[in-house]
Structure formats: structure tokens, C-alpha cells
């Protein structure tokens, strides 16, 4: 295999591009794809203060690295989920990355700052572990960005993530969720702009980028994620990609081009301030405060305490701000 | 396992319904699903003369059987594809079914009536074997129905077929093809109405129905179909269905309910008569006549003969009548 650009020995083959690359030109291709995503989707302008959602995994560290490399003012935020050694190691690697590049890493710890950790949350309350984890991340990153004066939150979702999510949404024809699966969500009252600059790059490519850039990242999957539906959608996409390279890119990028315009989010519910924390919500209390109160066995506001059944019904019926539900930050 | 209806010993489990059935109640459930499809989608009225596209496989013979059982006036049409022993055996079984029920089976033979067989067609011309086979079937069934005065052509597409086709169309965001994937295509100038009464029943269910009704059908797949893209989409859907029973039904029936209204077929091109055969087409010659001429090395009409490249470009650009392209008859 020879590099498409320089004909020197290649280190990686990208089948959907029918191309192979040496280290230098793979990194160039990677940066070009990120720049293309940023430009085409109007994700960032040069002066933006960017908050990168950092998990310590390959995607988020590759994202942080490439944004710094492209000259953006990018600060990391690590959210401690309290998932034992997995979280400790993730935090160490995020810190090591920040120290090595002399950039700032903010930290929020769910247990310290909000009174619960994810393993506990998954056992109590009416949400699955992955659901409450996603909700916590979206809430914490948005709030930290608002409070820190950041212009935009960037997350490391890659092409595989986006294609798997889109497959799941499409298999159920969840038209609202499909409508909102954009790599850019504009700012709205109390909701910071969210962007996914890696959405044109596959999981294999983000891993290769991190490896070739010498980034030390957490290789293991979250130990709580086993059997997760998203993983099965990824497997199904991988099986098709295996025999038809390019299917994932065709599916997600084709959606952005031809599918998304057909789907419109039905309603843009009015946002108000959560009576507990002040963050935007469509109801009296935001989903985060309601989930947290349920986990901690606390009561929100005054009035009669709702029964378990009422809480469960409320959770399944709730209309949540678009952005709160759409940005599954890792 | 006990039958959901009578609590007697069950012979089949239908996981997506969280139910098992004895023979009698499985057959009842099967007929009910067909009746529901016919009623909800306004497929047939009692006096319709129905032409059933019969391949000799489980789906088409199950369809013919259940339509007869429900009291419809259903005639079979077998199309000889010339695929060696596979075709011979298919024809024998279709004839045996018709003889056993004392109903009429019409036969068209591609080689005898149109001068080519499918193995030859797949080697010549610019279409794949499966593409030229599908085109030939759609053409022959429509034309036979018109000439025989039938009101509607019924095909044995099951839920697995429809879900796999929809997956393929959606992975490519072929919005026109998605818009047209309806289980009913109304009649139009020169195009007979087409219906798919088995679209609510899985492949496993049609096989079980045929088995339990004592129908002798061709079990083997078409020998030319190996590696077919459709099969890989079926495998991907099966992998997801395995862990999430009901996904296929949710996907296809959810599409009919919530997806299809969002997709609109872009244009309804004007139909005219093919100058060669008189059947409806958007161009001067219909796709069938053009494909056939290419296979046989013949020339259509007058004027300069197009080059191979012109033919290939024409084939890839062509706008074909909705119905001609949408009804992949087996």
C-alpha cells in the first residue's frame, strides 16, 4: 500500500475513500475533514471560546488536539462520573493531555457537585444508566459553558456514533429526533451552541489519529455500557460497511444533504427557568433536577409529592428542550 | 409454550408479538394479518380479479393460498426465468399447487416469449442479474394483467423483504424510492394496481404458514442471488431483530404511518406508449425493450445506433414510471 498523496509507504487504509495514507498525509486528511465540517456547517469562528467535552477517550482527546492544532481557543471540561477505576484512569489521562499541552482542564464531579454518581443513579430513579449519564453530561456541559462564558461546546461524536444514532432513530421513525440530529445546534436562550466537528470521521480514523499523534487515551469501553442498544446498531452498520465500504458516510452525510430538510422538529416549546437551578426547561423543573431529586429521594418545590407512577409518566411524556436531549456528550 | 388463544400446546412462537400459537390459531392470526393489510390499505374489493405473481416459493404460494381461502378470485402467473433446474422445479411446484386447488396458472416464458433467459441477460447488457430479473418480472406481470383484464397484481413481498428494501433505500437516502415504497400502488394509465398483502408478516411466518398448510414449495434460494445486497440488509435487520424483537415491524409499519407522509415522490413524469411494445414508459422505448434489445444485440427504432457508452448513460439517467421500478416481483 502506498500513500495516496506522496506514494511513500502507507500506514493506514481508508476503504471508503479507496485510499491509503502515510502518517503525515493521514493527519493532513484528518485535519482537512475537520476543517471542512467546521466550515460547511458554520461551527466555529476564529475568536470563539470553545469548551471541549473531554472523557479521556480517543474521540474527545483527538478533537481537543485537532482544535488546538487548528489554532482554536479550546478548554477541556472533564466530568467525573464516579465509575470506579474507569473514571479515575479517564481523569488521569485527560489531565496528562492538558498538562502536556499546557492547556486548561476544568473538572466537574457528579458526586462532589451534585450528590450522586452514575452507578448509583442507574440503580435508582426511572432512567437507564446510559440515559441518566447522557442527561447529566448534557446538563453539566451546557451549564459550565454558560457560567464560564464559552461560545460553544464541542463534542467528539464521530461518524460511527452519528450513523448508529441515526439508524436507531430511523428504525423507530422518531421523526422529531431525526429532525434534530444535526452536527450543529445553534444557541438559544440559556442553551449554548453545540457542535460535532468529527462527524465526518470514522471511529477507526479517530483511533488512528490519536495513536499516530501519540495521545494516551482510555482504550476500554465504559464498563456499564455492555449490551447497550447503540452498540448493536454500530455492529449492524459495521456488518454492512464491511461489504459496502462507505455506507456509514453515505447514510449520515446523505441524511444531512437530502434527509434532514424533509424532517422538521414539530414544536419549539417555550423555555423558562428551572425553579430549582435556573437552567432552561419547558416545565417547572428541568429534567436534570427531576432526575437528581428522584435519585437522591428528595422533593422538588412545594405541593403534594407525586407518586412513583406520576413521576414515571411525567418522564416518558416530557417535552424537553431540543438541545438538552440531543447532545449526548461522552 | 402454550397457544395464546386456546392455551393448548403451541407449535410456533412469534417473538415480536410475545406470543405462541397452535396450528389452528397461527393460521387464524396469519389470515387476520392479511385481512388487516387488505382492509387498511384498501388493496382489494370482493369482486376484483387478482393476478398473483407466483414463483413457486413459500411467499407467493402462501399468498395465493390465503387469497383463495379468503374467497378472492385469484389466478396465478408463473414466469419462466430459465435458471436451470431451479426454474424447472419452481414451475412444477406452482403447477402442482394450481392442480391441487383446481385453479388456473398462466405461464410466460422469458426465452420462449421474449428471446432471452436470466442467466444470459445477466452476462450481457449493462444491468446486474437481479436488476434485469426484477425489471422483466415487473414488465411481464403488468402486461399480462392488462392483457388478461385483471384488476390488480398481488405479490408475495413479506415484512422482511420490505424492511430490507426500506433499509437499503434509507441508507442511501433515496428519497424518491422511499416515497414510493407503499404496499399499494394505484392503477395509472397502462399500469395495473399492485398490492403486497403479506407485508405485515415475517419470512418465518410465511414459511410456517406454507409448512402448516402442507404447501410444497421451492426451499432453495435462487442460485444467482448469492451476495445480493438485499440479503445483506436482511442479515443486518435479523441481527438487530434477534436482540430487539419487533424492530422490523416497527421500522416498516412505522414508516407507513409516520415516515411515508414526509417523503413525496418528486415528479410524476408523463407516460406515453413504448414505440416497440406499446407499454407505458416515460421515454421513446420502455426500459424492458431497451434492456431486451441490449441483451439480444438488436436495434430499436431508426436513427443512428447509440454507442455502448450512450446506452450506459441512458440507463443510469433514465426516469422510469414509478410502478415499473417499484414492484420487484418474485
Amino acid at each position: 500500500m502506498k500513500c495516496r498523496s506522496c506514494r511513500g509507504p502507507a500506514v493506514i487504509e481508508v476503504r471508503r475513500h479507496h485510499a491509503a495514507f502515510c502518517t503525515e498525509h493521514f493527519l493532513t486528511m484528518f485535519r482537512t475533514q475537520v476543517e471542512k465540517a467546521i466550515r460547511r456547517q458554520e461551527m466555529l469562528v476564529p475568536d470563539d471560546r470553545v469548551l471541549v467535552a473531554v472523557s479521556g477517550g480517543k474521540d474527545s482527546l483527538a478533537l481537543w488536539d485537532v482544535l488546538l492544532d487548528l489554532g482554536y481557543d479550546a478548554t477541556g471540561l472533564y466530568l467525573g462520573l464516579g465509575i470506579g477505576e474507569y473514571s479515575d484512569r479517564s481523569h488521569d489521562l485527560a489531565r496528562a493531555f492538558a498538562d502536556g499541552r499546557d492547556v486548561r482542564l476544568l473538572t466537574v464531579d457528579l458526586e462532589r457537585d451534585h450528590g450522586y454518581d452514575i452507578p448509583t443513579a442507574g440503580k435508582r430513579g426511572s432512567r437507564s444508566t446510559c440515559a441518566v449519564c447522557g442527561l447529566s453530561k448534557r446538563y453539566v456541559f451546557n451549564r459550565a459553558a454558560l457560567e464560564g462564558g464559552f461560545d460553544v461546546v464541542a463534542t467528539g461524536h464521530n461518524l460511527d456514533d452519528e450513523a448508529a444514532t441515526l439508524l436507531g432513530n430511523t428504525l423507530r421513525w422518531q421523526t422529531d429526533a431525526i429532525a434534530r440530529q444535526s452536527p450543529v445546534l445553534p444557541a438559544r436562550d440559556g442553551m449554548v451552541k453545540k457542535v460535532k466537528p468529527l462527524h465526518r470521521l470514522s471511529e477507526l480514523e479517530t483511533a488512528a489519529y490519536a495513536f499516530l499523534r501519540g495521545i494516551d487515551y482510555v482504550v476500554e469501553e465504559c464498563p456499564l455500557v455492555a449490551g447497550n442498544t447503540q452498540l448493536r446498531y454500530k455492529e449492524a452498520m459495521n456488518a454492512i460497511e464491511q461489504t459496502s465500504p462507505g455506507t456509514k458516510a453515505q447514510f449520515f452525510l446523505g441524511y444531512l444533504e437530502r434527509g434532514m430538510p424533509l424532517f422538521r422538529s414539530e414544536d419549539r416549546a417555550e423555555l423558562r427557568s428551572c425553579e430549582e437551578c435556573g437552567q432552561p426547561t419547558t416545565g417547572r423543573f428541568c429534567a436534570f433536577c427531576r432526575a437528581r431529586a428522584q435519585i437522591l429521594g428528595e422533593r422538588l418545590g412545594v405541593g403534594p409529592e407525586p407518586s412513583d407512577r406520576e413521576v414515571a409518566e411525567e418522564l416518558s411524556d416530557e417535552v424537553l428542550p431540543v438541545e438538552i436531549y440531543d447532545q449526548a456528550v461522552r
Side-chain angles (χ1 to χ4, degrees), chain A residues 171-192:
Chain A
L171 287 176
R172 293 188 207 86
W173 291 98
Q174 293 180 314
T175 53
D176 269 17
I178 297 173
R180 297 185 308 244
Q181 213 191 320
S182 167
V184 178
L185 293 172
R188 227 188 132 186
D189 294 339
M191 307 299 294
V192 173

Side-chain angles (χ1 to χ4, degrees), chain A residues 119-130:
Chain A
T120 311
K123 287 183 204 118
R124 301 188 201 159
S126 49
R127 291 168 197 269
S128 72
T129 305
C130 291

Side-chain angles (χ1 to χ4, degrees), chain A residues 29 57 65 68 80 117 126 163 199 201 205 223 233-234 243 249 308:
Chain A
M29 183 279 288
D65 183 81
L68 291 170
D117 60 26
S126 49
H199 76 273
L201 292 150
E205 287 156 35
Y233 295 142
K234 281 194 177 177
T243 44
D308 281 356

Side-chain angles (χ1 to χ4, degrees), chain A residues 25-39 66 70 200-201:
Chain A
H25 291 114
F26 173 75
L27 297 176
T28 303
M29 183 279 288
F30 192 94
R31 282 184 206 109
T32 304
Q33 290 292 334
V34 174
E35 287 180 299
K36 193 186 266 189
I38 291 173
R39 192 176 60 244
V66 73
L70 292 172
R200 303 178 63 87
L201 292 150

Side-chain angles (χ1 to χ4, degrees), chain A residues 7-319:
Chain A
R7 314 307 301 163
V11 297
I12 181 170
E13 186 183 7
V14 182
R15 287 183 64 204
R16 77 167 190 285
H17 291 167
H18 305 292
F21 298 95
C22 69
T23 299
E24 181 193 340
H25 291 114
F26 173 75
L27 297 176
T28 303
M29 183 279 288
F30 192 94
R31 282 184 206 109
T32 304
Q33 290 292 334
V34 174
E35 287 180 299
K36 193 186 266 189
I38 291 173
R39 192 176 60 244
R40 286 205 186 167
Q41 305 278 339
E42 300 181 1
M43 291 183 173
L44 304 173
V45 293
D47 286 344
D48 274 341
R49 290 191 63 216
V50 185
L51 186 65
V52 182
V54 172
S55 70
K58 63 188 187 321
D59 301 308
S60 61
L61 291 179
L63 171 63
W64 199 3
D65 183 81
V66 73
L67 289 179
L68 291 170
D69 199 41
L70 292 172
Y72 289 99
D73 174 0
T75 299
L77 170 58
Y78 176 82
L79 172 60
L81 303 167
I83 309 178
E85 280 182 25
Y86 171 77
S87 286
D88 295 341
R89 184 160 158 70
S90 302
H91 197 181
D92 289 346
L93 291 170
R95 265 193 300 241
F97 179 95
D99 291 346
R101 275 144 183 92
D102 203 18
V103 287
R104 195 158 59 115
L105 178 72
L106 309 177
T107 298
V108 172
D109 189 88
L110 269 186
E111 174 69 51
R112 183 192 68 204
D113 301 326
H114 297 285
Y116 67 90
D117 60 26
I118 292 299
T120 311
K123 287 183 204 118
R124 301 188 201 159
S126 49
R127 291 168 197 269
S128 72
T129 305
C130 291
V132 76
C133 183
L135 170 64
S136 305
K137 287 167 170 173
R138 291 186 290 271
Y139 178 88
V140 166
F141 285 112
N142 186 67
R143 185 166 168 176
L146 275 179
E147 293 177 355
F150 290 92
D151 300 294
V152 53
V153 170
T155 60
H157 294 88
N158 60 42
L159 181 59
D160 294 50
D161 297 326
E162 295 303 296
T165 301
L166 184 60
L167 179 62
N169 288 335
T170 310
L171 287 176
R172 293 188 207 86
W173 291 98
Q174 293 180 314
T175 53
D176 269 17
I178 297 173
R180 297 185 308 244
Q181 213 191 320
S182 167
V184 178
L185 293 172
R188 227 188 132 186
D189 294 339
M191 307 299 294
V192 173
K193 181 175 181 179
K194 314 282 185 330
V195 300
K196 300 173 182 174
L198 303 187
H199 76 273
R200 303 178 63 87
L201 292 150
S202 75
E203 199 155 291
L204 183 73
E205 287 156 35
T206 62
Y209 179 88
F211 174 79
L212 293 171
R213 289 282 291 167
I215 297 170
D216 199 5
Y217 63 86
V218 168
V219 175
E220 53 277 32
E221 283 279 8
C222 167
L224 304 180
V225 91
N228 173 304
T229 319
Q230 179 86 348
L231 286 186
R232 290 186 290 110
Y233 295 142
K234 281 194 177 177
E235 285 162 12
M237 289 299 305
N238 284 340
I240 298 172
E241 182 83 16
Q242 184 64 28
T243 44
S244 302
T247 301
K248 284 175 205 169
Q250 198 177 33
F251 182 44
F252 188 66
L253 303 179
Y255 158 73
L256 294 182
E257 200 177 296
R258 295 186 301 284
M260 200 162 66
L262 302 176
F263 293 85
R264 283 206 192 80
S265 186
E266 295 298 312
D267 52 3
R268 294 276 283 178
E270 201 67 27
L271 295 186
R272 48 192 276 194
S273 289
C274 170
E275 291 183 18
E276 180 75 9
C277 72
Q279 293 301 298
T281 177
T282 53
R284 193 171 154 202
F285 300 105
C286 75
F288 178 82
C289 287
R290 283 184 287 118
R292 181 175 172 278
Q294 208 188 20
I295 293 161
L296 300 179
E298 289 177 359
R299 237 172 112 165
L300 285 173
V302 287
E305 188 160 11
S307 68
D308 281 356
R309 187 165 162 190
E310 281 169 331
V311 169
E313 283 176 356
E314 184 198 11
L315 286 171
S316 65
D317 289 347
E318 66 196 348
V319 180

